[in-house]
Amino acid sequence: MPLTQPSTPDERRGNHTASPSSGGAPTLKKSAIGLRESTIISMAGAAPGQVVAVSLAPLIVASGYGFIPSIIVASTAMLCIAVAFQRMNLWDQNCGGPYSWVGRAVNPGAGFGVGWILVVTFVVSLIINFVSIGPAVLALLGFDPSSQWGTVIAATVLGTFLTAFAVIGVQLTGRLQLSLAIAEYAVLLMFSAIAFWALFVNDRPNSVHPTWEWLSPHGVGGSGGFVATMLLVIFMIAQWDTSIYLSEETERAETNPGKAVIIAVITLGVMYTLICFAFATVAPPEAMEQHSTNAAVFVAEELTGSGWAKAMALAVVASVLAATQATIVGLARIMLAMGRDKVLPSVFGKVHSRFQTPATSTLLTGGLGIVATWVYILASSVSDTLDVLIATIGFMFACYYALTALAAAWAMRDRVVSNWRDALLGGVLPLVGAVLLGWVAIMCAVDFSSAEWAALAALAALGVVMYLVAKLRYRAPILTGVPATER
């Protein structure tokens, strides 16, 4: 159906429960965070410090130093998608985000499919974040980052702490995210400035001097692969949409979450271009590869010695913690939206009466991350399976962003002919973003191994089973067309 503005606040939110004051079921806390916190939470989902630490060496190798064009193109594609998200949030402020939008704009079955992809991508991201907590913290404290039990204990303690914060309230989450962001971004930008000073002012002997070939999509000597680099950059920028899932709890819910994702994507694109360029000049690619598990700390050691490198290790830890909590918060609210619609067990659709947060979904999400960390670290056979699934994460992100953008263009199809602004923002930009990400997803899928295809097939089959359960067992009103009061 064409896009039409819902007539009431509850319809806009997709939340048909009454407020606590009216004596009905409790709802999420309204106007709990502002634009600043919303933007920071979106950027935290992308985890700049953590991503630079683990992706810098692969980025240099994959691109042959030609990563700047890939960052620009991927950021532009994501910005187009962010505009689509902003337009859809104006229409419908729902903590399910794309799940709700696609369901209303196309049909509930398609919405469930996008919701399922959302859940899977967030769960995989959660596992990546939880597994990263232990080594980052151990390295900061001077312990062996490869210690299995050290990793498990650190992830369990900090995961419990982050989950508790998320349960208590989104305002507390916003304050924690702001503190972590200040520490993370200040250190990253400081070392970027030091790297540029060492290169252009001090003419540091070990520095790698950039050439014009760094601006080529295929890098120095044509050694880089543009598609492979694009997929890596998409993974680096992905999950900028976390603030959308907090829309029901944000001041000016119609506008602020959309502004937040646009600001976040632009800022991330600029930061990644600046930081990766600066850090890539510090040491040759062979040295970067030898320290690929935490290249950011290696860069800091090269520039200032081991003492100041602790500051970089702290920034990476702050990034990991912020990303983990942002993922917990976002996934819990996606599950809340699906639970409210009864496409997941209705217990996930409950809001805590005191904290006004999706406590059940949050506790399950945090517990899942902790258990997954134990399994990943201590059970090698399961970790191999998870590694295959993690290899598909960039593909899944590209798919759900592209599908949401297509749904946005479809929903606004009657408006794109009304004026040039609606044609550009509601039609052209979403389609450009969808085409770019769809192309990257297809090119990525061509190179998938049989194990990766099997993992995707298993996830798709599980999604079909979940859909049938929701329709036939839970008799979800949005899938059966039968209102809950008539069943």
Side-chain angles (χ1 to χ4, degrees):
M1 57 179 284
L3 181 152
T4 56
Q5 181 69 26
S7 58
T8 70
D10 278 340
E11 287 176 355
R12 285 197 299 270
R13 287 190 297 268
N15 183 358
H16 304 289
T17 57
S19 65
S21 60
S22 65
T27 60
L28 296 170
K29 188 173 185 178
K30 307 300 181 281
S31 300
I33 59 173
L35 176 61
R36 180 183 61 181
E37 292 82 5
S38 184
T39 303
I40 290 297
I41 289 172
S42 265
M43 292 182 62
Q50 176 194 10
V51 163
V52 169
V54 300
S55 299
L56 180 61
L59 186 68
I60 292 172
V61 173
S63 66
Y65 284 101
F67 50 79
I68 293 178
S70 295
I71 293 176
I72 292 173
V73 173
S75 299
T76 302
M78 288 297 195
L79 182 59
C80 292
I81 304 294
V83 170
F85 274 58
Q86 184 263 345
R87 300 280 288 183
M88 295 301 278
N89 184 75
L90 281 172
W91 173 53
D92 179 18
Q93 300 86 53
N94 187 294
C95 65
Y99 155 73
S100 173
W101 303 336
V102 176
R104 292 188 58 195
V106 183
N107 65 64
F112 179 88
V114 170
W116 178 245
I117 298 174
L118 268 171
V119 170
V120 170
T121 52
F122 268 73
V123 167
V124 175
S125 296
L126 185 69
I127 294 171
I128 294 172
N129 290 332
F130 263 94
V131 170
S132 301
I133 287 177
V137 171
L138 293 175
L140 175 63
L141 298 177
F143 297 116
D144 180 9
S146 63
S147 170
Q148 287 187 328
W149 282 106
T151 297
V152 165
I153 292 171
T156 301
V157 172
L158 292 173
T160 302
F161 168 77
L162 295 174
T163 303
F165 258 64
V167 168
I168 292 172
V170 71
Q171 287 177 315
L172 196 59
T173 296
R175 295 189 190 106
L176 177 61
Q177 290 286 349
L178 187 59
S179 300
L180 293 172
I182 291 172
E184 176 185 358
Y185 304 152
V187 172
L188 288 172
L189 294 176
M190 178 187 72
F191 276 103
S192 296
I194 293 173
F196 282 128
W197 179 273
L199 176 68
F200 295 114
V201 179
N202 283 354
D203 194 23
R204 180 172 167 271
N206 293 334
S207 294
V208 178
H209 289 268
T211 67
W212 288 110
E213 286 187 291
W214 284 35
L215 299 179
S216 166
H218 299 291
V220 178
S223 59
F226 182 66
V227 174
T229 308
M230 275 280 291
L231 187 65
L232 184 56
V233 174
I234 287 172
F235 169 74
M236 293 170 66
I237 300 176
Q239 228 167 307
W240 48 261
D241 49 319
T242 308
S243 61
I244 290 295
Y245 311 110
L246 299 174
S247 60
E248 296 181 29
E249 301 156 273
T250 306
E251 295 174 354
R252 300 179 181 176
E254 293 87 354
T255 57
N256 277 352
K259 289 179 181 179
V261 294
I262 290 175
I263 295 170
V265 169
I266 293 173
T267 306
L268 287 168
V270 172
M271 282 183 62
Y272 281 136
T273 302
L274 175 69
I275 294 169
C276 291
F277 179 80
F279 285 10
T281 67
V282 171
E286 298 81 10
M288 289 291 190
E289 282 192 89
Q290 290 175 1
H291 300 84
S292 60
T293 56
N294 200 334
V297 172
F298 168 67
V299 165
E301 289 178 347
E302 288 290 293
L303 290 172
T304 60
S306 58
W308 277 99
K310 289 289 184 182
M312 181 62 79
L314 178 62
V316 173
V317 169
S319 181
V320 174
L321 295 177
T324 304
Q325 190 182 50
T327 305
I328 291 172
V329 167
L331 178 56
R333 280 148 182 80
I334 294 166
M335 295 171 70
L336 170 66
M338 298 179 77
R340 285 191 311 211
D341 289 339
K342 294 182 169 51
V343 297
L344 289 180
S346 58
V347 67
F348 296 124
K350 296 183 182 299
V351 175
H352 195 280
S353 58
R354 177 184 175 187
F355 300 127
Q356 291 184 262
T357 60
T360 301
S361 297
T362 303
L363 289 171
L364 175 67
T365 300
L368 174 65
I370 292 171
V371 171
T373 301
W374 281 69
V375 172
Y376 186 89
I377 298 298
L378 302 177
S380 59
S381 59
V382 178
S383 68
D384 292 340
T385 302
L386 288 175
D387 284 338
V388 172
L389 189 58
I390 289 170
T392 68
I393 186 67
F395 171 81
M396 288 188 286
F397 271 121
C399 285
Y400 97 71
Y401 284 135
L403 289 171
T404 303
L406 290 174
W410 176 255
M412 290 178 272
R413 64 190 183 279
D414 286 354
R415 294 189 178 188
V416 296
V417 296
S418 61
N419 58 72
W420 70 267
R421 188 172 184 273
D422 280 330
L424 177 64
L425 300 180
V428 175
L429 293 184
L431 288 176
V432 168
V435 168
L436 283 172
L437 293 187
W439 170 71
V440 172
I442 292 171
M443 297 302 293
C444 169
V446 168
D447 294 328
F448 273 169
S449 66
S450 57
E452 289 164 345
W453 277 116
L456 289 174
L459 290 174
L462 183 58
V464 171
V465 171
M466 294 292 291
Y467 174 84
L468 293 175
V469 169
K471 185 172 184 177
L472 303 178
R473 174 66 179 86
Y474 303 143
R475 296 191 60 78
I478 65 167
L479 299 181
T480 63
V482 179
T485 56
E486 296 180 13
R487 291 186 286 115

